[in-house]
């Protein structure tokens, strides 16, 4: 029987290397969780905005249809020219086409949401939420704190630690193992069995594991450089995503506070003036088109803002317990 005895700390080095591998697996799991969460959040708000866009398009059809009917009555009464009715019917047909496109976009967004959450689409009813409710902009200190613990950056640092542990293991292997042997043999000259105990140790005169040590050292240096590059890349992407979110939030705020109320007020005034005979039909169509375009622009800005927020959370690694 023989038993090798590790005297160079190889067991501890192997244990440290295994722990770094476990930590890297945990960091990869955290990154996948952040990716999945961001994908689901983005899919939900995309479907919610698409639902709002369809509602706005449906209202546009209703407004255009009412305007076309009112124009037709005035044309019959001789108060408007026939080409005004033609323009009204064209506006109504355009609104119906846009509603059909909005319906297709809504269905597509619901397909993506069902795939993201792993549910049957039939089980997803009307989405309950406020697309206009944007998350608060993160402060610079908060972004810096979360960036330091981002899954991608944590994994890069752990790769450096694993490379260091692998280097320490190769250093430990330069010391040869001692092998202890225990056995018995039959001594014919005395006619009985004798115990045999032996100790052996290789003499590393020409091989001190230098090649493996150099390779492990180079791997550690490469891991350090990759970690530094990953830190710079991730920081640039996070700052870009934060700037994009701030810009989109300002756009939504400006549209919601100034553009939408002004367009709505102009459309209401043009409609009332048309009913009183103060404005022409072209003024009503122009005000209606401006109002509807402002609403669609606002919804598009909301979609971009939610997409920018999901992109930022994907890189920072949002905590799973957050709603």
């Amino acid at each position: 029987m023989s038993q090798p005895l590790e005297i160079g700390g190889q067991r501890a080095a192997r244990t440290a290397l295994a722990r770094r591998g476990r930590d890297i697996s945990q960091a990869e799991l955290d990154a996948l969780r952040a990716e999945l969460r961001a994908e689901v959040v983005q899919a939900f708000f995309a479907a919610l905005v698409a639902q709002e866009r369809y509602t706005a398009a449906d209202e546009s059809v209703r407004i255009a249809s009412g305007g076309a009917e009112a124009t037709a009555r005035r044309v019959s009464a001789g108060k408007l020219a026939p080409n005004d009715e033609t323009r009204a019917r064209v506006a109504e047909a355009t609104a119906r086409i846009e509603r059909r496109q909005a319906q297709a976009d809504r269905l597509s967004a619901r397909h993506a949401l069902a795939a993201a959450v792993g549910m049957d689409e039939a089980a997803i009813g009307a989405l309950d939420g406020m697309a206009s409710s944007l998350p608060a902009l993160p402060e610079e200190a908060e972004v810096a704190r979360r960036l330091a613990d981002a899954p991608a950056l944590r994994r890069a640092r752990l790769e450096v630690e694993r490379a260091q542990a692998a280097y320490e293991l190769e250093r430990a292997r330069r010391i040869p193992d001692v092998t202890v042997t225990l056995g018995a043999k039959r001594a014919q000259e005395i006619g009985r069995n004798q115990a045999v105990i032996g100790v052996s140790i290789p003499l590393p005169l020409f091989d001190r594991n230098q090649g493996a040590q150099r390779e492990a050292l180079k791997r550690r240096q490469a891991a350090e450089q990759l970690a530094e590059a990953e830190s710079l890349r991730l920081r640039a992407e996070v700052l870009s995503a934060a700037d994009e979110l701030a810009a989109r939030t300002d756009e939504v705020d400006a549209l919601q506070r100034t553009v939408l109320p002004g367009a709505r007020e102009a459309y209401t005034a043009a409609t009332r003036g048309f009913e009183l005979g103060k404005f022409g039909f072209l003024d009503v169509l122009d005000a209606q088109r401006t109002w509807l375009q402002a609403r669609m622009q606002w919804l598009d800005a909301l979609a971009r803002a939610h997409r920018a927020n999901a992109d930022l959370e994907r890189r920072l690694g949002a905590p799973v317990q957050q709603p």
Side-chain angles (χ1 to χ4, degrees):
M1 297 177 57
S2 62
Q3 175 64 47
L5 301 178
E6 297 175 329
I7 61 175
Q10 297 179 25
R11 178 179 176 83
R14 284 200 308 271
T15 301
L17 181 59
R19 286 174 179 169
R20 297 292 80 77
R22 179 197 61 188
D23 295 341
I24 289 175
S25 297
Q26 182 62 50
E28 291 175 346
L29 178 60
D30 293 341
L32 288 175
R33 284 174 173 170
E35 181 73 24
L36 178 60
R37 181 183 184 278
E39 181 181 348
V40 171
V41 170
Q42 181 175 339
F44 173 79
F45 279 107
L48 185 60
V49 170
Q51 179 176 281
E52 294 289 339
R53 187 180 287 110
Y54 175 77
T55 301
D58 187 62
E59 183 180 353
S60 300
V61 171
R62 182 181 59 80
I63 293 174
S65 179
E69 294 298 328
T71 303
R73 289 193 297 268
R74 292 202 171 196
V75 169
S76 299
K79 296 181 179 180
L80 292 176
N83 60 344
D84 288 333
E85 182 180 0
T86 301
R87 293 192 184 97
R89 295 301 180 186
V90 169
E92 180 184 5
T94 302
R96 293 186 183 278
I97 292 174
E98 292 176 349
R99 183 179 65 178
R100 182 66 187 88
Q101 182 60 46
Q103 183 182 17
D105 293 341
R106 183 186 65 169
L107 292 176
S108 178
R110 289 177 66 86
H111 294 331
L113 177 60
V117 299
M119 292 177 57
D120 185 1
E121 186 177 346
I124 302 178
L127 301 180
D128 184 13
M130 293 182 60
S132 59
S133 178
L134 295 177
L137 292 174
E139 297 182 357
E140 185 176 350
E142 177 69 11
V143 171
R145 183 189 65 80
R146 292 178 59 187
L147 177 60
D149 196 42
L153 193 55
R154 189 166 68 249
R155 185 185 186 281
R157 290 196 300 263
L158 289 171
E159 286 288 359
V160 176
E161 295 180 9
R162 179 163 69 173
Q164 176 64 29
Y167 173 65
E168 295 295 337
L169 177 59
E170 297 301 334
R171 279 178 52 85
R173 286 174 176 169
R174 77 185 190 278
I175 301 175
D177 297 336
V178 175
T179 302
V180 178
T181 304
L182 176 64
K185 72 174 182 177
R186 180 74 176 178
Q188 298 296 336
E189 60 275 11
I190 61 177
R192 62 180 180 181
N193 294 332
Q194 289 182 323
V196 177
I197 300 177
V199 177
S200 65
I201 180 171
L203 297 178
L205 299 179
F206 303 102
D207 183 11
R208 292 182 176 271
N209 203 31
Q210 297 97 326
Q213 291 183 60
R214 284 195 295 267
E215 181 181 358
L217 182 60
K218 293 298 183 182
R219 290 183 182 276
R220 188 194 67 183
Q221 293 172 350
E224 291 173 348
Q225 294 174 357
L226 288 175
E228 183 178 358
E230 180 69 14
S231 177
L232 295 175
R233 182 194 64 81
L234 186 61
R235 176 178 175 79
E237 290 181 352
V238 166
L239 293 179
S240 177
D243 291 341
E244 177 70 13
L245 177 59
R248 298 288 75 81
T249 301
D250 291 342
E251 181 183 6
V252 170
D253 185 63
L255 288 169
Q256 195 165 328
R257 287 188 301 104
T258 306
V259 178
L260 280 177
R264 178 65 177 178
E265 183 178 352
Y267 170 68
T268 302
T271 302
R272 291 177 180 175
F274 176 71
E275 293 173 351
L276 296 175
K278 295 182 179 180
F279 295 126
F281 181 70
L282 291 180
D283 296 325
V284 177
L285 279 182
D286 184 64
Q288 175 184 328
R289 187 181 304 109
T290 302
W291 158 241
L292 297 179
Q293 288 177 350
R295 291 188 66 184
M296 292 303 177
Q297 184 180 1
W298 175 64
L299 291 172
D300 290 340
L302 282 174
R304 289 192 295 269
H306 286 296
R307 188 161 52 248
N309 180 67
D311 190 45
L312 179 62
E313 294 295 319
R314 178 184 293 109
R315 286 172 169 77
L316 291 178
V320 179
Q321 65 270 19
Q322 290 186 358

